[in-house]
Amino acid sequence: LLVEACDAGKAVACDGAGDLFSQGRGGPVNGAEARRLLLRGCTLGSALSCSQAGYLIGNPNTGAVDLAQSRSLYQRGCDLGNAEACGNLAMMHYRGEGGPRDYVAAIRYATLGCPIDSGNACHVLGMTAREGLGRAIDLAFARVSFERACTLTIAASCAQSGVMQAT
């Protein structure tokens, strides 16, 4: 029923159906069908579908990897307000995945994602502030950003926060 509803233009059904196929809930994992459904949902304006499709298209366990397309899908998901899409997009800009490394863009998308609970976004803000990448060094802001990311379960930020508190 979810697949039929997605194919009929119901974006929220695409979210659910894509998740079922990507996780193998109710049947075998089918990465290709999950991608198709989530791309459809993204086209229909679902921020969650865009974010999930970006993840699947950037993950070698679900089919061919296309980091540029993954980055583009995260961009659309972020534009539509999905926190994880903003955080993952920020991380891709920070690392130079799927396009050029761009610390200023990483900060822009992290600034959108961190306040709406993306741990990755808060982590990127901490890293750029600590190292002065795309901005001036701001150790106080870095520490606060790492602490926020830590509360959002980003283990690397917990470690960074601990290191910064010890110095």
Side-chain angles (χ1 to χ4, degrees):
L1 291 175
L2 284 175
V3 173
E4 291 171 10
C6 175
D7 288 336
K10 304 285 186 201
V12 70
C14 300
D15 299 341
D19 184 57
L20 291 175
F21 280 102
S22 71
Q23 301 296 319
R25 295 185 187 132
V29 170
N30 185 336
E33 183 66 356
R35 286 177 179 213
R36 181 188 77 78
L37 293 164
L38 293 169
L39 287 169
R40 172 104 171 110
C42 184
T43 299
L44 293 169
S46 166
L48 179 59
S49 282
C50 296
S51 183
Q52 290 178 330
Y55 173 77
L56 291 179
I57 289 171
N59 183 338
N61 296 325
T62 64
V65 171
D66 183 341
L67 292 179
Q69 184 182 17
S70 178
R71 187 165 162 165
S72 176
L73 289 161
Y74 284 139
Q75 175 73 62
R76 177 138 166 81
C78 183
D79 290 346
L80 291 169
N82 182 274
E84 290 308 312
C86 293
N88 291 334
L89 180 60
M91 192 64 77
M92 291 185 88
H93 278 281
Y94 180 85
R95 293 178 177 160
E97 296 172 338
R101 182 175 296 211
D102 184 342
Y103 297 122
V104 172
I107 293 166
R108 181 172 58 250
Y109 298 117
T111 300
L112 293 172
C114 185
I116 54 175
D117 295 339
S118 167
N120 281 337
C122 298
H123 186 75
V124 167
L125 289 175
M127 292 185 303
T128 55
R130 182 192 65 206
E131 301 299 325
L133 301 171
R135 60 177 301 144
I137 290 174
D138 184 341
L139 297 180
F141 182 77
R143 187 176 63 255
V144 168
S145 297
F146 286 135
E147 288 170 359
R148 173 90 171 115
C150 181
T151 66
L152 295 168
T153 69
I154 304 298
S157 285
C158 299
Q160 290 300 321
S161 176
V163 168
M164 293 189 80
Q165 288 178 5
T167 57

